[in-house]
Amino acid sequence: MGVLSRATRGGVGAVIGVVLAVFALSAGWVSGSIYADRLATEACVVDCASSTLGASVAPSIARAAPNPRPAASAREPDGFPFISARYIAAIEGACGAVIFGRDAHGRFPPASLTKLMTAAVATDQAGVDMMITSDIDGLALHEATGSTIMGLEPGMQLSLLDLLYGLLLPSGNDAAMAIAKGISGSEEAFVELMNEKAKSLALDDTNFTNAHGLYEEGLHSSAYDMAILARYVMQNADLRRIVSTISWQPRWDGPEVWNGNAFLTEYDGADGVKIGFTEESKQTIVASATRDGRRIIASLMSSDDRYTDAERLFDWAFEQPSSCP
């Protein structure tokens, strides 16, 4: 090989220098990305005390990072407490008037709050003494999807009342599916009734895709809609009694079913209604509490600490004058 000229050697050196510079920048970017990902992972906090666990992942929804502290809003009154939930609605039980809302019509997957509509449609369509034969294997459902279950087995025959307790206390996805199939013949047909009911209640932010609340694309509601739905549920004597019950013994050989809603025993005057959780939805709750004859219903979605959030919201709401005419 001939001796390279000075110009040629200089050109080669320049090329090598550029290559090394690009490599160094790329390495720095990669290591920075890895570090940032590690910090994000370390900051990821998930409360796994779920009322229903979803197996699906929504790519467009933040999954596990804690909610940032909401910025003070001009619409928030002086003295309004810090609440981690992204979506809030508090309404009067007597008339449905809004006491306070934060992004109350923002559409979001409601997780197991879906089951409030399942219960409402079921009691519209059938008496609580209706007998339903399950074809659902609850244990297999749990193993396949992480679902919470009441513990149904294929061939079990239970009353709609027992299935409603299994639906609303331990948040049994198996109970939801058994109710849907028992009343409508298929879950798909039952979901059509759920969406018809949503329209009749003017729940304009809501669309259901299943009877249990596991995440699916197209399943969404809002804090306001869930509060209005809960108000409707609390007007039904059977459902009002169920959502305020701590435990229930179905007519089967199995154990009692227990209510996963700890707010019932943690807050004075609490008398309902339902909690939920999926990775996509984070913690959700619709709660009811009554004080001096005044019922307030509060809905919180995408919460880091639903019980503390609910307690602070109720304490503040009960201090406000009634919004009813």
Side-chain angles (χ1 to χ4, degrees):
M1 181 181 294
V3 178
L4 296 174
S5 68
R6 180 178 297 178
T8 302
R9 290 197 302 270
V12 172
V15 171
I16 293 172
V18 171
V19 171
L20 290 174
V22 171
F23 178 80
L25 289 172
S26 299
W29 179 84
V30 171
S31 63
S33 297
I34 293 171
Y35 180 66
D37 288 345
R38 182 169 61 83
L39 289 181
T41 300
E42 289 173 353
C44 177
V45 178
V46 177
D47 178 356
C48 292
S50 68
S51 71
T52 182
L53 296 175
S56 302
V57 175
S60 62
I61 298 177
R63 295 193 40 192
N67 289 334
R69 183 182 181 93
S73 168
R75 293 176 296 175
E76 291 184 2
D78 292 340
F80 188 77
F82 168 71
I83 292 175
S84 71
R86 179 177 174 184
Y87 308 95
I88 301 172
I91 66 172
E92 299 282 357
C95 66
V98 175
I99 304 169
F100 177 77
R102 175 199 288 163
D103 204 0
H105 291 280
R107 293 184 175 184
F108 197 70
S112 276
L113 303 186
T114 297
K115 294 183 174 79
L116 293 176
M117 183 59 86
T118 304
V121 170
T123 50
D124 280 351
Q125 297 293 315
V128 295
D129 57 350
M130 175 185 179
M131 300 302 294
I132 293 176
T133 301
S134 168
D135 65 352
I136 307 299
D137 186 331
L139 182 58
L141 181 64
H142 169 73
E143 291 175 347
T145 66
S147 293
T148 49
I149 59 173
M150 74 173 291
L152 295 179
E153 297 176 1
M156 276 187 173
Q157 190 174 56
L158 292 172
S159 67
L160 176 58
L161 180 65
D162 281 340
L163 289 172
L164 288 169
Y165 275 102
L167 175 79
L168 296 172
L169 271 61
S171 201
N173 289 1
D174 52 352
M177 296 170 70
I179 289 170
K181 292 182 177 183
I183 289 177
S184 296
S186 71
E187 187 173 359
E188 293 76 15
F190 188 84
V191 170
E192 290 183 10
L193 296 178
M194 294 171 67
N195 285 318
E196 289 174 8
K197 187 69 176 180
K199 289 180 181 179
S200 74
L201 295 175
L203 306 184
D204 296 333
D205 307 318
T206 298
N207 184 69
F208 296 108
T209 60
N210 60 53
H212 43 71
L214 284 181
Y215 178 78
E216 290 180 349
E217 186 174 353
L219 171 63
H220 56 76
S221 188
S222 67
Y224 175 79
D225 280 8
M226 283 292 123
I228 294 297
L229 174 58
R231 177 174 178 263
Y232 178 81
V233 165
M234 294 298 283
Q235 293 171 348
N236 180 302
D238 290 321
L239 297 181
R240 185 170 63 248
R241 182 169 54 252
I242 292 170
V243 297
S244 65
T245 299
I246 302 301
S247 67
W248 175 259
Q249 178 60 62
R251 293 192 175 185
W252 66 354
D253 295 333
E256 293 180 312
V257 292
W258 289 81
N259 199 327
N261 184 6
F263 194 68
L264 288 172
T265 57
E266 291 183 0
Y267 191 80
D268 186 30
D271 51 15
V273 288
K274 189 77 183 69
I275 60 172
F277 177 90
T278 66
E279 289 186 7
E280 295 81 10
S281 302
K282 304 177 71 170
Q283 298 180 34
T284 64
I285 184 172
V286 181
S288 170
T290 303
R291 185 177 296 176
D292 298 327
R294 180 190 184 189
R295 169 173 282 126
I296 290 175
I297 296 172
S299 174
L300 301 110
M301 301 171 72
S302 188
S303 170
D304 293 329
D305 185 349
R306 60 185 162 217
Y307 297 130
T308 299
D309 281 351
E311 180 178 346
R312 290 173 178 172
L313 183 56
F314 275 109
D315 284 348
W316 175 85
F318 276 120
E319 292 177 355
Q320 312 311 307
S322 173
S323 300
C324 290

